[in-house]
Amino acid sequence: MPTRRTALALLAGSTTALALGTATPALAHPRPFGRYGSPARRLDRATLYVDARGRGDHTTVQAAVDAATGTGRTLVIAPGTYRETVDIPADRTGLTLIGASGDPRDTVIVYDNANGTPRPDGSGTYGTSGSATVTARPDGLTARDLTFANDWLRADHPDYTGTQAVAIKVTGDRSSFTGCRFLGHQDTLYADTASLAVFARQYYRDCYVEGDVDFVFGRASAVLDRCHFRTLARTDLAGPPYGFVFAPSTAGADPHGFLVLRSRVTSTAPDGYFKLARPWVPSSDLTAHPMLTVRDSHLGAGIDTDEPYGTMSAGFPWQDQRFAEYRNTGPGARVTVPANRPQLTASEAREHTPAAWFGDWRP
C-alpha cells in the first residue's frame, strides 16, 4: 500500500484507487474553479482564485492569503497538491477557503515539518505549533471541501523525539470546517485558542480525521459533528496502546471542551489497540481541566473497551477530568468496566449540545 506521501503526490494527477480515496485528475478540470467563476468572470471583488498551474490570480495559497487583506474575502482553490506551509493572520477575519471541485480529495495543502525538524535559520526546532502545515488565526474562518495534511513520517526520522506533526492549527473563534479532511499521524488536528482567556468556538461537520497519537487535541470549545475518525496501525510498536483519538486541554474556566456527536471511529489497527482519549494538561497551564463528551456515535472495535481512557501526565488522572459518554453504539462502546466509562444522564445530555457550546453563534 502506498505511503501517505506517495498517495498525496498522486492525488491531483492520478486516477489510481488509494487507501485515501480516488481523486479526479487535475487535467480533467478544464474549468478549474468550477461553479465559482474565474479571474475573467469573477464572482465579486472579494474573491481571489488560486491555481498551481497559473490559471488563477495566484499559484500558491499563501500568496493569495497575503493578498486577501481586509475582511470577508474568499479564496477559491483549484484542484491540485499545494506543497507549502500557510499562515493566515488574525486580521483576515471572515475569510472563506473553498476547494473548487467540491471533493476534498482533489485539493490538498500539505507539508512535512515535525516538532523536531530543525529550523533553517538554526534557531532550534519548529516545536509542535510550528510544525503545522496550516495555521489559521482569524475569527470567522470558513473552509469547505479541502484536505489539510502533514505527511512527515517517523520511519524517515528514527532519531527524532519530537514526532508531533500538525496538519492544521486553528485558534480563531467562530471557525467552521465542512466536508474537509485532516491527514497526519501524531497531533493531526490542533483545535486551539489564541490565549487562555479566549474560548474559541469551532465547528467541524462531515469531516474526516486520521492519525494515531492525540490526533484531535487542543483547548478549543469544538463541536465535531458527523465526522469520521480513523485510527492508523503502527509498525514501530510491538503492542497496544497505539495511541489516543482525543486529547483535550480545555481551560479550567471554559465550560465547554470537545463535543463529539453523530460521528464514528474506525481503525486499521487490531481490535482494542487504541484508547478513545486522554487529558492533556500542558506545563503552560496546570489549571487546565480537559473536557470531552462523545455521544450518539459509533465506536469501532479498535477502541479498548476495558480501559478506553488513559492518563498523559502524572498527577492529572483522567478520572479527575470532564470525560463522559452518552448513547454510543458499536463494539468499542461496550461497557465492560462501568467505572471506566462515565455516562451522562438524560438530563445532563440535554446540556451537551451544539447550541449550548455555541451560544449566539449559528455556523
mmCIF file of all heavy atoms in Angstrom, residues 4-46:
data_model
loop_
_atom_site.group_PDB
_atom_site.id
_atom_site.type_symbol
_atom_site.label_atom_id
_atom_site.label_comp_id
_atom_site.label_asym_id
_atom_site.label_seq_id
_atom_site.Cartn_x
_atom_site.Cartn_y
_atom_site.Cartn_z
ATOM 1 N N ARG A 4 1.316 7.676 2.785
ATOM 2 C CA ARG A 4 0.520 8.878 2.566
ATOM 3 C C ARG A 4 1.250 9.855 1.658
ATOM 4 O O ARG A 4 0.652 10.509 0.817
ATOM 5 C CB ARG A 4 0.193 9.568 3.893
ATOM 6 C CG ARG A 4 -0.609 10.838 3.672
ATOM 7 C CD ARG A 4 -0.938 11.569 4.933
ATOM 8 N NE ARG A 4 -1.842 10.801 5.751
ATOM 9 C CZ ARG A 4 -1.478 10.232 6.891
ATOM 10 N NH1 ARG A 4 -0.253 10.347 7.307
ATOM 11 N NH2 ARG A 4 -2.345 9.565 7.609
ATOM 12 N N ARG A 5 2.567 9.944 1.793
ATOM 13 C CA ARG A 5 3.299 10.892 0.956
ATOM 14 C C ARG A 5 3.151 10.533 -0.514
ATOM 15 O O ARG A 5 2.917 11.384 -1.364
ATOM 16 C CB ARG A 5 4.772 10.919 1.348
ATOM 17 C CG ARG A 5 5.567 11.963 0.582
ATOM 18 C CD ARG A 5 6.958 12.104 1.169
ATOM 19 N NE ARG A 5 6.877 12.468 2.570
ATOM 20 C CZ ARG A 5 7.817 12.174 3.460
ATOM 21 N NH1 ARG A 5 8.887 11.499 3.104
ATOM 22 N NH2 ARG A 5 7.696 12.556 4.707
ATOM 23 N N THR A 6 3.266 9.238 -0.836
ATOM 24 C CA THR A 6 3.084 8.811 -2.212
ATOM 25 C C THR A 6 1.663 9.091 -2.674
ATOM 26 O O THR A 6 1.430 9.581 -3.784
ATOM 27 C CB THR A 6 3.382 7.312 -2.352
ATOM 28 O OG1 THR A 6 4.710 7.056 -1.906
ATOM 29 C CG2 THR A 6 3.231 6.850 -3.783
ATOM 30 N N ALA A 7 0.705 8.796 -1.814
ATOM 31 C CA ALA A 7 -0.691 8.998 -2.172
ATOM 32 C C ALA A 7 -0.985 10.461 -2.455
ATOM 33 O O ALA A 7 -1.647 10.798 -3.437
ATOM 34 C CB ALA A 7 -1.592 8.484 -1.052
ATOM 35 N N LEU A 8 -0.494 11.350 -1.607
ATOM 36 C CA LEU A 8 -0.758 12.770 -1.796
ATOM 37 C C LEU A 8 -0.081 13.296 -3.051
ATOM 38 O O LEU A 8 -0.590 14.173 -3.731
ATOM 39 C CB LEU A 8 -0.290 13.553 -0.573
ATOM 40 C CG LEU A 8 -1.140 13.339 0.686
ATOM 41 C CD1 LEU A 8 -0.482 13.990 1.874
ATOM 42 C CD2 LEU A 8 -2.543 13.865 0.487
ATOM 43 N N ALA A 9 1.077 12.761 -3.369
ATOM 44 C CA ALA A 9 1.756 13.180 -4.581
ATOM 45 C C ALA A 9 0.945 12.814 -5.818
ATOM 46 O O ALA A 9 1.003 13.488 -6.844
ATOM 47 C CB ALA A 9 3.139 12.536 -4.665
ATOM 48 N N LEU A 10 0.160 11.740 -5.713
ATOM 49 C CA LEU A 10 -0.624 11.276 -6.842
ATOM 50 C C LEU A 10 -2.014 11.897 -6.901
ATOM 51 O O LEU A 10 -2.675 11.848 -7.935
ATOM 52 C CB LEU A 10 -0.784 9.750 -6.764
ATOM 53 C CG LEU A 10 0.499 8.920 -6.930
ATOM 54 C CD1 LEU A 10 0.193 7.467 -6.613
ATOM 55 C CD2 LEU A 10 1.051 9.048 -8.328
ATOM 56 N N LEU A 11 -2.469 12.481 -5.792
ATOM 57 C CA LEU A 11 -3.872 12.853 -5.689
ATOM 58 C C LEU A 11 -4.354 13.744 -6.830
ATOM 59 O O LEU A 11 -5.439 13.561 -7.352
ATOM 60 C CB LEU A 11 -4.138 13.560 -4.362
ATOM 61 C CG LEU A 11 -4.435 12.639 -3.176
ATOM 62 C CD1 LEU A 11 -4.595 13.472 -1.918
ATOM 63 C CD2 LEU A 11 -5.649 11.799 -3.414
ATOM 64 N N ALA A 12 -3.550 14.721 -7.187
ATOM 65 C CA ALA A 12 -4.014 15.676 -8.184
ATOM 66 C C ALA A 12 -3.802 15.194 -9.609
ATOM 67 O O ALA A 12 -4.277 15.822 -10.543
ATOM 68 C CB ALA A 12 -3.309 17.024 -7.996
ATOM 69 N N GLY A 13 -3.115 14.073 -9.796
ATOM 70 C CA GLY A 13 -2.819 13.697 -11.160
ATOM 71 C C GLY A 13 -2.924 12.230 -11.458
ATOM 72 O O GLY A 13 -2.306 11.739 -12.397
ATOM 73 N N SER A 14 -3.730 11.494 -10.701
ATOM 74 C CA SER A 14 -3.853 10.067 -10.950
ATOM 75 C C SER A 14 -5.245 9.596 -10.625
ATOM 76 O O SER A 14 -5.901 10.104 -9.739
ATOM 77 C CB SER A 14 -2.843 9.289 -10.097
ATOM 78 O OG SER A 14 -3.080 7.906 -10.181
ATOM 79 N N THR A 15 -5.715 8.607 -11.357
ATOM 80 C CA THR A 15 -6.998 8.012 -11.054
ATOM 81 C C THR A 15 -6.831 6.704 -10.312
ATOM 82 O O THR A 15 -7.773 5.956 -10.120
ATOM 83 C CB THR A 15 -7.779 7.758 -12.353
ATOM 84 O OG1 THR A 15 -6.981 6.938 -13.221
ATOM 85 C CG2 THR A 15 -8.115 9.049 -13.050
ATOM 86 N N THR A 16 -5.613 6.418 -9.839
ATOM 87 C CA THR A 16 -5.361 5.195 -9.104
ATOM 88 C C THR A 16 -6.155 5.178 -7.808
ATOM 89 O O THR A 16 -6.156 6.143 -7.060
ATOM 90 C CB THR A 16 -3.854 5.088 -8.764
ATOM 91 O OG1 THR A 16 -3.119 5.173 -9.972
ATOM 92 C CG2 THR A 16 -3.549 3.776 -8.079
ATOM 93 N N ALA A 17 -6.822 4.072 -7.527
ATOM 94 C CA ALA A 17 -7.569 3.947 -6.271
ATOM 95 C C ALA A 17 -6.589 3.710 -5.137
ATOM 96 O O ALA A 17 -5.805 2.773 -5.160
ATOM 97 C CB ALA A 17 -8.568 2.801 -6.353
ATOM 98 N N LEU A 18 -6.635 4.579 -4.115
ATOM 99 C CA LEU A 18 -5.727 4.505 -2.991
ATOM 100 C C LEU A 18 -6.526 4.381 -1.712
ATOM 101 O O LEU A 18 -7.739 4.598 -1.677
ATOM 102 C CB LEU A 18 -4.869 5.780 -2.925
ATOM 103 C CG LEU A 18 -4.023 6.064 -4.174
ATOM 104 C CD1 LEU A 18 -3.424 7.447 -4.067
ATOM 105 C CD2 LEU A 18 -2.933 5.030 -4.309
ATOM 106 N N ALA A 19 -5.827 4.057 -0.627
ATOM 107 C CA ALA A 19 -6.498 3.989 0.667
ATOM 108 C C ALA A 19 -7.115 5.330 1.031
ATOM 109 O O ALA A 19 -8.105 5.399 1.745
ATOM 110 C CB ALA A 19 -5.509 3.563 1.746
ATOM 111 N N LEU A 20 -6.528 6.408 0.536
ATOM 112 C CA LEU A 20 -7.031 7.738 0.864
ATOM 113 C C LEU A 20 -8.160 8.173 -0.042
ATOM 114 O O LEU A 20 -8.701 9.251 0.120
ATOM 115 C CB LEU A 20 -5.892 8.766 0.777
ATOM 116 C CG LEU A 20 -4.765 8.551 1.768
ATOM 117 C CD1 LEU A 20 -3.652 9.541 1.500
ATOM 118 C CD2 LEU A 20 -5.276 8.708 3.180
ATOM 119 N N GLY A 21 -8.516 7.368 -1.035
ATOM 120 C CA GLY A 21 -9.613 7.725 -1.920
ATOM 121 C C GLY A 21 -9.121 7.921 -3.333
ATOM 122 O O GLY A 21 -7.928 7.945 -3.622
ATOM 123 N N THR A 22 -10.052 8.037 -4.236
ATOM 124 C CA THR A 22 -9.726 8.218 -5.648
ATOM 125 C C THR A 22 -9.963 9.656 -6.029
ATOM 126 O O THR A 22 -11.080 10.154 -5.940
ATOM 127 C CB THR A 22 -10.600 7.306 -6.523
ATOM 128 O OG1 THR A 22 -10.388 5.958 -6.105
ATOM 129 C CG2 THR A 22 -10.239 7.446 -7.984
ATOM 130 N N ALA A 23 -8.923 10.348 -6.439
ATOM 131 C CA ALA A 23 -9.045 11.755 -6.795
ATOM 132 C C ALA A 23 -9.323 11.912 -8.278
ATOM 133 O O ALA A 23 -8.959 11.075 -9.097
ATOM 134 C CB ALA A 23 -7.759 12.496 -6.446
ATOM 135 N N THR A 24 -9.964 12.995 -8.629
ATOM 136 C CA THR A 24 -10.180 13.326 -10.023
ATOM 137 C C THR A 24 -8.914 13.946 -10.574
ATOM 138 O O THR A 24 -8.334 14.822 -9.957
ATOM 139 C CB THR A 24 -11.341 14.328 -10.150
ATOM 140 O OG1 THR A 24 -12.491 13.772 -9.507
ATOM 141 C CG2 THR A 24 -11.646 14.637 -11.592
ATOM 142 N N PRO A 25 -8.432 13.539 -11.747
ATOM 143 C CA PRO A 25 -7.195 14.093 -12.280
ATOM 144 C C PRO A 25 -7.302 15.593 -12.507
ATOM 145 O O PRO A 25 -8.343 16.089 -12.929
ATOM 146 C CB PRO A 25 -7.008 13.354 -13.608
ATOM 147 C CG PRO A 25 -7.981 12.233 -13.603
ATOM 148 C CD PRO A 25 -9.050 12.563 -12.639
ATOM 149 N N ALA A 26 -6.219 16.307 -12.217
ATOM 150 C CA ALA A 26 -6.214 17.753 -12.419
ATOM 151 C C ALA A 26 -6.499 18.112 -13.873
ATOM 152 O O ALA A 26 -7.159 19.093 -14.175
ATOM 153 C CB ALA A 26 -4.871 18.331 -11.993
ATOM 154 N N LEU A 27 -6.013 17.293 -14.825
ATOM 155 C CA LEU A 27 -6.195 17.597 -16.231
ATOM 156 C C LEU A 27 -7.651 17.464 -16.664
ATOM 157 O O LEU A 27 -8.030 17.899 -17.739
ATOM 158 C CB LEU A 27 -5.309 16.676 -17.080
ATOM 159 C CG LEU A 27 -3.802 16.871 -16.885
ATOM 160 C CD1 LEU A 27 -3.028 15.861 -17.733
ATOM 161 C CD2 LEU A 27 -3.385 18.286 -17.254
ATOM 162 N N ALA A 28 -8.478 16.840 -15.836
ATOM 163 C CA ALA A 28 -9.887 16.672 -16.168
ATOM 164 C C ALA A 28 -10.710 17.887 -15.762
ATOM 165 O O ALA A 28 -11.936 17.833 -15.784
ATOM 166 C CB ALA A 28 -10.442 15.428 -15.498
ATOM 167 N N HIS A 29 -10.059 18.969 -15.394
ATOM 168 C CA HIS A 29 -10.760 20.161 -14.942
ATOM 169 C C HIS A 29 -10.493 21.326 -15.903
ATOM 170 O O HIS A 29 -9.685 22.204 -15.634
ATOM 171 C CB HIS A 29 -10.314 20.544 -13.531
ATOM 172 C CG HIS A 29 -10.725 19.562 -12.484
ATOM 173 N ND1 HIS A 29 -11.960 19.594 -11.890
ATOM 174 C CD2 HIS A 29 -10.071 18.511 -11.948
ATOM 175 C CE1 HIS A 29 -12.055 18.605 -11.018
ATOM 176 N NE2 HIS A 29 -10.926 17.934 -11.041
ATOM 177 N N PRO A 30 -11.177 21.351 -17.056
ATOM 178 C CA PRO A 30 -10.966 22.488 -17.967
ATOM 179 C C PRO A 30 -11.440 23.795 -17.351
ATOM 180 O O PRO A 30 -10.997 24.865 -17.740
ATOM 181 C CB PRO A 30 -11.799 22.098 -19.198
ATOM 182 C CG PRO A 30 -12.817 21.126 -18.686
ATOM 183 C CD PRO A 30 -12.133 20.378 -17.589
ATOM 184 N N ARG A 31 -12.392 23.680 -16.411
ATOM 185 C CA ARG A 31 -12.826 24.859 -15.647
ATOM 186 C C ARG A 31 -12.340 24.657 -14.229
ATOM 187 O O ARG A 31 -13.043 24.097 -13.385
ATOM 188 C CB ARG A 31 -14.346 25.002 -15.711
ATOM 189 C CG ARG A 31 -14.881 25.260 -17.108
ATOM 190 C CD ARG A 31 -16.400 25.243 -17.146
ATOM 191 N NE ARG A 31 -16.965 26.248 -16.264
ATOM 192 C CZ ARG A 31 -17.894 25.996 -15.336
ATOM 193 N NH1 ARG A 31 -18.336 24.768 -15.155
ATOM 194 N NH2 ARG A 31 -18.376 26.959 -14.578
ATOM 195 N N PRO A 32 -11.117 25.073 -13.919
ATOM 196 C CA PRO A 32 -10.503 24.709 -12.637
ATOM 197 C C PRO A 32 -11.242 25.234 -11.421
ATOM 198 O O PRO A 32 -11.074 24.699 -10.329
ATOM 199 C CB PRO A 32 -9.103 25.316 -12.733
ATOM 200 C CG PRO A 32 -9.216 26.407 -13.744
ATOM 201 C CD PRO A 32 -10.223 25.911 -14.737
ATOM 202 N N PHE A 33 -12.063 26.258 -11.598
ATOM 203 C CA PHE A 33 -12.760 26.833 -10.450
ATOM 204 C C PHE A 33 -14.245 26.471 -10.439
ATOM 205 O O PHE A 33 -15.018 27.009 -9.643
ATOM 206 C CB PHE A 33 -12.560 28.351 -10.429
ATOM 207 C CG PHE A 33 -11.106 28.730 -10.469
ATOM 208 C CD1 PHE A 33 -10.545 29.295 -11.605
ATOM 209 C CD2 PHE A 33 -10.277 28.469 -9.384
ATOM 210 C CE1 PHE A 33 -9.199 29.611 -11.651
ATOM 211 C CE2 PHE A 33 -8.926 28.785 -9.425
ATOM 212 C CZ PHE A 33 -8.390 29.357 -10.562
ATOM 213 N N GLY A 34 -14.628 25.552 -11.312
ATOM 214 C CA GLY A 34 -15.986 25.033 -11.310
ATOM 215 C C GLY A 34 -17.036 26.126 -11.370
ATOM 216 O O GLY A 34 -16.982 27.028 -12.200
ATOM 217 N N ARG A 35 -17.998 26.036 -10.447
ATOM 218 C CA ARG A 35 -19.114 26.982 -10.442
ATOM 219 C C ARG A 35 -18.791 28.299 -9.761
ATOM 220 O O ARG A 35 -19.665 29.162 -9.629
ATOM 221 C CB ARG A 35 -20.319 26.343 -9.752
ATOM 222 C CG ARG A 35 -20.093 25.978 -8.291
ATOM 223 C CD ARG A 35 -21.269 25.156 -7.773
ATOM 224 N NE ARG A 35 -21.092 24.714 -6.404
ATOM 225 C CZ ARG A 35 -21.477 25.388 -5.322
ATOM 226 N NH1 ARG A 35 -22.053 26.576 -5.468
ATOM 227 N NH2 ARG A 35 -21.300 24.892 -4.110
ATOM 228 N N TYR A 36 -17.513 28.454 -9.371
ATOM 229 C CA TYR A 36 -17.142 29.647 -8.606
ATOM 230 C C TYR A 36 -16.545 30.756 -9.467
ATOM 231 O O TYR A 36 -15.909 31.667 -8.950
ATOM 232 C CB TYR A 36 -16.179 29.268 -7.490
ATOM 233 C CG TYR A 36 -16.784 28.323 -6.482
ATOM 234 C CD1 TYR A 36 -16.467 26.973 -6.479
ATOM 235 C CD2 TYR A 36 -17.712 28.793 -5.550
ATOM 236 C CE1 TYR A 36 -17.033 26.100 -5.562
ATOM 237 C CE2 TYR A 36 -18.292 27.929 -4.628
ATOM 238 C CZ TYR A 36 -17.942 26.583 -4.641
ATOM 239 O OH TYR A 36 -18.516 25.721 -3.737
ATOM 240 N N GLY A 37 -16.736 30.688 -10.782
ATOM 241 C CA GLY A 37 -16.243 31.745 -11.649
ATOM 242 C C GLY A 37 -14.786 31.564 -12.023
ATOM 243 O O GLY A 37 -14.260 30.449 -12.067
ATOM 244 N N SER A 38 -14.095 32.660 -12.273
ATOM 245 C CA SER A 38 -12.689 32.644 -12.684
ATOM 246 C C SER A 38 -12.194 34.083 -12.639
ATOM 247 O O SER A 38 -12.989 35.014 -12.463
ATOM 248 C CB SER A 38 -12.558 32.097 -14.106
ATOM 249 O OG SER A 38 -13.123 33.003 -15.041
ATOM 250 N N PRO A 39 -10.881 34.300 -12.809
ATOM 251 C CA PRO A 39 -10.416 35.690 -12.848
ATOM 252 C C PRO A 39 -11.090 36.518 -13.932
ATOM 253 O O PRO A 39 -11.272 37.734 -13.778
ATOM 254 C CB PRO A 39 -8.915 35.534 -13.104
ATOM 255 C CG PRO A 39 -8.570 34.223 -12.489
ATOM 256 C CD PRO A 39 -9.754 33.356 -12.782
ATOM 257 N N ALA A 40 -11.501 35.863 -15.056
ATOM 258 C CA ALA A 40 -12.172 36.592 -16.129
ATOM 259 C C ALA A 40 -13.652 36.815 -15.841
ATOM 260 O O ALA A 40 -14.271 37.725 -16.402
ATOM 261 C CB ALA A 40 -12.015 35.826 -17.446
ATOM 262 N N ARG A 41 -14.218 35.950 -14.995
ATOM 263 C CA ARG A 41 -15.640 36.066 -14.637
ATOM 264 C C ARG A 41 -15.760 36.002 -13.118
ATOM 265 O O ARG A 41 -16.349 35.088 -12.555
ATOM 266 C CB ARG A 41 -16.445 34.952 -15.297
ATOM 267 C CG ARG A 41 -16.391 34.972 -16.820
ATOM 268 C CD ARG A 41 -17.159 33.792 -17.380
ATOM 269 N NE ARG A 41 -18.570 33.877 -17.027
ATOM 270 C CZ ARG A 41 -19.548 34.017 -17.911
ATOM 271 N NH1 ARG A 41 -19.260 34.090 -19.193
ATOM 272 N NH2 ARG A 41 -20.800 34.077 -17.523
ATOM 273 N N ARG A 42 -15.158 36.975 -12.473
ATOM 274 C CA ARG A 42 -15.046 36.993 -11.020
ATOM 275 C C ARG A 42 -16.423 37.140 -10.367
ATOM 276 O O ARG A 42 -17.238 37.957 -10.791
ATOM 277 C CB ARG A 42 -14.135 38.152 -10.611
ATOM 278 C CG ARG A 42 -13.521 38.033 -9.230
ATOM 279 C CD ARG A 42 -12.549 39.180 -8.968
ATOM 280 N NE ARG A 42 -11.464 39.207 -9.927
ATOM 281 C CZ ARG A 42 -10.349 38.509 -9.822
ATOM 282 N NH1 ARG A 42 -10.185 37.715 -8.779
ATOM 283 N NH2 ARG A 42 -9.410 38.584 -10.744
ATOM 284 N N LEU A 43 -16.671 36.315 -9.345
ATOM 285 C CA LEU A 43 -17.964 36.397 -8.667
ATOM 286 C C LEU A 43 -18.176 37.771 -8.049
ATOM 287 O O LEU A 43 -19.277 38.323 -8.091
ATOM 288 C CB LEU A 43 -18.054 35.319 -7.585
ATOM 289 C CG LEU A 43 -18.085 33.860 -8.048
ATOM 290 C CD1 LEU A 43 -18.309 32.949 -6.859
ATOM 291 C CD2 LEU A 43 -19.166 33.635 -9.104
ATOM 292 N N ASP A 44 -17.123 38.293 -7.438
ATOM 293 C CA ASP A 44 -17.168 39.637 -6.862
ATOM 294 C C ASP A 44 -15.735 40.064 -6.587
ATOM 295 O O ASP A 44 -14.798 39.280 -6.714
ATOM 296 C CB ASP A 44 -18.017 39.674 -5.583
ATOM 297 C CG ASP A 44 -17.582 38.630 -4.566
ATOM 298 O OD1 ASP A 44 -16.389 38.609 -4.205
ATOM 299 O OD2 ASP A 44 -18.433 37.826 -4.143
ATOM 300 N N ARG A 45 -15.561 41.266 -6.179
ATOM 301 C CA ARG A 45 -14.215 41.791 -5.957
ATOM 302 C C ARG A 45 -13.539 41.184 -4.747
ATOM 303 O O ARG A 45 -12.319 41.283 -4.602
ATOM 304 C CB ARG A 45 -14.273 43.310 -5.812
ATOM 305 C CG ARG A 45 -14.673 44.044 -7.096
ATOM 306 C CD ARG A 45 -14.667 45.548 -6.900
ATOM 307 N NE ARG A 45 -15.039 46.264 -8.112
ATOM 308 C CZ ARG A 45 -15.115 47.584 -8.210
ATOM 309 N NH1 ARG A 45 -14.843 48.339 -7.134
ATOM 310 N NH2 ARG A 45 -15.451 48.154 -9.352
ATOM 311 N N ALA A 46 -14.315 40.557 -3.890
ATOM 312 C CA ALA A 46 -13.748 39.966 -2.681
ATOM 313 C C ALA A 46 -13.199 38.560 -2.921
ATOM 314 O O ALA A 46 -12.634 37.968 -2.008
ATOM 315 C CB ALA A 46 -14.808 39.917 -1.583
#
